[in-house]
């Protein structure tokens, strides 16, 4: 299983995913004899600032169509997604999720579905007032919530999903 996390704070997430069970699941280990056991999962990070064309690496913008506050701009997120997914042979094995308090409630049933049906999960962690609505439409992404509350960003929900889905991958 491959996880691609689009976040402004990859270092925060990496500290969690590189430790304990998730950290071990990402390593290639030599088993008994000369057998090599491959990675069970892979977690990669993409910072939208790296894809911003603004000289200040700005990634926030006014909501498309108006509204209060600022949202994460579409262009850097879409470029990060393209880098993450590229031209995978089987796009049906790629699922894109946007962390959102108004999304579908994440559950163990969804975790099982993701682990069984997909090889790549792209997790988009929003900040500010959310993510430009064009991202969801362009990527045919699904909004997912980990609870009936609002957090400062989507990193904790993304980590929860990575943890829950990874535990369902054989050998993790």
């Amino acid at each position: 299983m491959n996880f691609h996390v689009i976040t402004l704070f990859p270092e925060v997430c990496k500290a969690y995913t590189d430790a304990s069970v998730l950290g071990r699941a990402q390593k290639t280990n030599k088993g008994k004899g000369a057998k090599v056991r491959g990675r069970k999962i892979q977690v990669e990070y993409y910072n939208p600032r790296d894809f911003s064309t603004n000289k200040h690496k700005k990634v926030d913008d006014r909501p498309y169509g108006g509204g209060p506050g600022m949202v994460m701009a579409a262009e850097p997120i879409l470029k990060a997604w393209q880098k993450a997914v590229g031209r995978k042979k089987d796009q049906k094995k790629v699922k894109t999720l946007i962390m959102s308090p108004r999304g579908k409630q994440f559950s163990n049933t969804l975790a099982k579905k993701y682990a069984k049906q997909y090889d790549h999960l792209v997790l988009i962690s929003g900040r500010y007032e959310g993510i430009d609505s064009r991202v969801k439409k362009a990527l045919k992404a699904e909004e997912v919530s980990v609870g009936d509350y609002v957090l400062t960003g989507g990193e904790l929900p993304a980590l929860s999903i990575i943890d829950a889905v990874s535990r369902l991958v054989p050998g993790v």
Side-chain angles (χ1 to χ4, degrees):
M1 173 61 76
N2 299 283
F3 298 96
H4 307 274
V5 184
I6 298 174
T7 174
L8 294 174
F9 301 100
E11 67 282 358
V12 172
C13 298
K14 196 166 176 43
Y16 183 82
T17 58
D18 285 356
S20 189
V21 172
L22 297 178
R24 287 190 304 272
Q26 292 180 77
K27 293 182 177 148
T28 303
N29 299 314
K30 287 194 175 191
K32 292 182 180 178
K35 288 188 176 184
V36 175
R37 289 179 280 153
R39 298 177 185 194
K40 305 297 182 200
I41 66 168
Q42 184 169 350
V43 185
E44 295 184 63
Y45 299 95
Y46 309 85
N47 189 332
R49 291 189 195 285
D50 296 338
F51 302 91
S52 176
T53 56
N54 179 289
K55 72 177 183 176
H56 300 293
K57 300 296 182 187
K58 183 179 165 186
V59 294
D60 62 331
D61 202 356
R62 287 181 165 60
Y64 182 73
M70 300 292 273
V71 295
M72 288 182 69
E75 184 181 23
I77 293 172
L78 295 172
K79 286 181 178 179
W81 185 91
Q82 186 62 40
K83 174 77 173 177
V85 176
R87 292 198 162 99
K88 300 288 182 216
K89 290 180 182 178
D90 189 358
Q91 288 291 324
K92 291 179 182 175
K93 292 289 191 174
V94 177
K95 180 71 171 174
T96 302
L97 304 174
I98 294 175
M99 307 300 102
S100 171
R102 66 179 167 268
K104 182 177 187 175
Q105 182 74 43
F106 182 72
S107 64
N108 201 53
T109 302
L110 271 182
K112 287 177 184 177
K113 175 184 171 186
Y114 296 156
K116 184 178 180 181
Q117 291 183 359
Y118 302 103
D119 293 335
H120 298 270
L121 281 182
V122 181
L123 304 148
I124 302 174
S125 301
R127 285 279 163 162
Y128 315 118
E129 296 293 322
I131 295 170
D132 188 312
S133 61
R134 295 174 291 180
V135 171
K136 180 180 176 184
K137 186 175 181 180
L139 301 178
K140 297 180 179 87
E142 179 179 346
E143 286 185 301
V144 178
S145 172
V146 295
D148 192 18
Y149 45 87
V150 178
L151 299 168
T152 57
E155 289 78 17
L156 288 174
L159 291 172
S160 297
I161 291 170
I162 291 169
D163 200 316
V165 173
S166 293
R167 305 280 294 167
L168 298 169
V169 173
V172 175

